């Protein structure tokens, strides 16, 4: 599996505060990777180091085969970045905003209209940004990050403050981009988003990755090995272990038509998040 970026033992201190403390992980080419962690865990700091906006205190970070210390314009032209401060100009039209950023990016790769079509904003190209809805504006900000047709896209909370329908629109767009070959590294507080969208999830806590795997594997790992059944005429549910003895019980409940419902327990990504960050127990 090809690696598109990696961090090895990254440490980052602000004055005497240690934010990242031995951060080690890889992102593979063509995956959607989600970095999750409590507020203040260092997710934005991680993106800033990966995109060379700040340097680590120590450790190694490589993006597109280039060490973070030797980042240059060539590399920046191959990545797209969406962060809190990816602003757009409210008084300019949608099209003029993209024209401006195309000029800054010094790229001739992109046709603005194609880009606007891709994010579903072509019909609004003459609209002044301040008249756009929140979802449209977020798509414009996203198109700005896509202007250089990046191989690797960094998204810092791409759907925060969007309602579920607008988030779903962005998810669809991100999936399409991913299918077309863009690797996506995102941070999010939205556990459902992480579950639906990401091929792999890394949990960041106290400066380190404390868990990293596919959503499916994480759920299996943290699943309680129990089956919950509800029997006819009984208000409470019964939990039984997954073993031969339970199989016999369940068989007889089915045979005597006593069984009303039966469920295995699978934790949500949110429950796993709470567990690995020490906030709760499952
Ligand atoms: N330039 C800076 N100077 C000093 N401290 C900083 C700086 N940037 C970030 N920090 C601190 O580093 C820690 C991690 O911040 P960061 O923004 O990376 O967290 P985050 O995981 O992105 O949080 P959130 O989920 O709230 O966006 C915080 O305690 C923050 O106050
Ligand atoms: Mg952040």
């Amino acid at each position: 599996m090809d690696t598109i970026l990696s961090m090895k033992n990254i440490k980052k201190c602000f004055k005497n505060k240690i934010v990242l403390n031995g951060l080690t992980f890889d992102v593979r080419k063509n995956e959607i990777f989600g970095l999750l962690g409590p507020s203040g865990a260092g997710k934005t700091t991680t993106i800033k180091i990966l995109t060379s906006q700040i340097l680590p205190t120590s450790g190694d970070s490589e993006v597109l085969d280039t060490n973070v210390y030797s980042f240059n314009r060539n590399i920046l032209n191959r990545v797209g970045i969406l962060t809190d401060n990816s602003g757009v100009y409210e008084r300019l039209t949608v099209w003029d905003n993209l024209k401006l950023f195309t000029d800054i990016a010094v790229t001739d790769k992109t046709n603005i209209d194609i880009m606007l079509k891709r994010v579903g904003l072509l019909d609004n190209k003459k609209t002044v940004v301040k008249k756009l809805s929140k979802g449209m504006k977020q798509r414009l900000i996203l198109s700005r990050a896509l202007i250089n047709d990046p191989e690797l896209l960094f998204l810092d909370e791409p759907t925060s403050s969007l309602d579920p329908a607008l988030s779903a629109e962005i998810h669809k767009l991100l999936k399409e981009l991913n299918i077309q070959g863009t690797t996506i590294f995102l941070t999010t507080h939205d556990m459902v988003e992480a579950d639906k969208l990401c091929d792999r999830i890394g949990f960041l806590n106290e400066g380190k990755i404390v868990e990293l795997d596919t959503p499916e594997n994480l759920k299996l790992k943290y699943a309680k090995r129990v089956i919950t059944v509800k029997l006819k005429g009984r208000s409470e549910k019964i939990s039984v272990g997954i073993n031969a003895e339970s199989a016999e019980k369940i068989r007889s409940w089915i045979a005597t038509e006593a069984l009303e419902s039966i469920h295995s327990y699978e934790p949500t990504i949110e429950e796993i998040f709470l567990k690995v960050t020490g906030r709760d127990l499952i």
Side-chain angles (χ1 to χ4, degrees):
M1 198 77 71
D2 280 352
T3 297
I4 199 161
L5 69 83
S6 66
M7 280 190 150
K8 272 197 200 80
N9 214 9
I10 286 286
K11 191 166 179 181
K12 178 67 190 175
C13 308
F14 292 109
K15 297 220 172 82
N16 47 15
K17 181 177 181 179
I18 304 171
V19 174
L20 301 177
N21 194 10
L23 190 54
T24 301
F25 68 99
D26 291 335
V27 172
R28 300 165 183 163
K29 229 171 236 171
N30 231 286
E31 73 176 337
I32 303 186
F33 183 95
L35 185 65
L36 272 57
S39 190
K43 302 179 295 295
T44 300
T45 303
T46 303
I47 286 197
K48 283 187 178 163
I49 292 173
L50 287 167
T51 53
S52 199
Q53 298 175 62
I54 56 173
L55 288 174
T57 306
S58 62
D60 273 318
S61 169
E62 254 187 32
V63 172
L64 295 162
D65 298 320
T66 309
N67 194 283
V68 72
Y69 297 102
S70 16
F71 242 57
N72 53 33
R73 185 137 199 146
N74 262 343
I75 296 297
L76 281 176
N77 266 333
R78 293 168 62 194
V79 305
I81 308 168
L82 180 151
T83 61
D84 279 355
N85 50 21
S86 304
V88 285
Y89 292 91
E90 297 273 330
R91 286 161 187 272
L92 297 182
T93 64
V94 165
W95 198 90
D96 285 341
N97 261 282
L98 279 197
K99 173 75 173 72
L100 192 69
F101 296 122
T102 315
D103 290 347
I104 295 169
V106 205
T107 173
D108 51 10
K109 280 197 242 171
T110 319
N111 177 316
I112 293 175
D113 283 356
I114 290 175
M115 182 61 63
L116 287 175
K117 187 153 191 270
R118 208 164 170 192
V119 297
L121 281 178
L122 192 58
D123 290 346
N124 298 89
K125 72 182 203 177
K126 290 182 180 153
T127 310
V128 176
V129 170
K130 65 179 172 191
K131 291 191 178 162
L132 294 180
S133 71
K134 218 189 225 176
M136 286 169 162
K137 197 165 153 191
Q138 189 66 357
R139 278 184 275 146
L140 174 61
I141 292 171
L142 187 58
S143 70
R144 181 190 159 178
L146 298 175
I147 203 118
N148 47 346
D149 200 9
E151 290 159 55
L152 171 60
L153 192 55
F154 291 98
L155 306 171
D156 198 1
E157 298 187 33
T159 55
S160 67
S161 81
L162 295 184
D163 73 30
L166 297 177
S167 294
E169 262 180 45
I170 301 278
H171 293 165
K172 191 163 162 262
L173 184 61
L174 296 180
K175 279 275 188 206
E176 280 165 17
L177 284 168
N178 182 245
I179 287 165
Q180 287 156 21
T182 312
T183 306
I184 299 176
F185 179 97
L186 62 89
T187 71
T188 181
H189 283 281
D190 182 341
M191 304 296 150
V192 178
E193 168 169 283
D195 191 2
K196 274 199 301 207
L197 203 58
C198 298
D199 296 308
R200 291 192 307 151
I201 294 172
F203 289 101
L204 177 61
N205 195 43
E206 294 180 353
K208 286 191 168 75
I209 295 284
V210 288
E211 195 60 272
L212 192 161
D213 215 325
T214 62
E216 292 70 28
N217 285 347
L218 288 169
K219 286 183 214 167
L220 279 178
K221 180 170 175 187
Y222 287 89
K224 278 189 187 151
R225 304 272 301 150
V226 293
I227 289 173
T228 307
V229 296
K230 167 103 177 46
L231 300 179
K232 278 183 193 155
R234 294 197 33 190
S235 54
E236 78 283 3
K237 289 181 178 161
I238 305 169
S239 289
V240 295
I242 300 179
N243 51 42
E245 192 190 336
S246 304
E248 190 46 44
K249 276 189 195 164
I250 292 167
R251 197 200 61 77
S252 78
W253 286 327
I254 294 172
T256 57
E257 297 187 1
L259 190 69
E260 200 164 76
S261 71
I262 179 163
H263 296 283
S264 60
Y265 174 81
E266 187 180 68
T268 62
I269 295 298
E270 179 160 22
E271 286 170 315
I272 299 169
F273 172 88
L274 293 172
K275 180 166 176 69
V276 300
T277 57
R279 316 268 148 140
D280 202 354
L281 291 174
I282 54 172

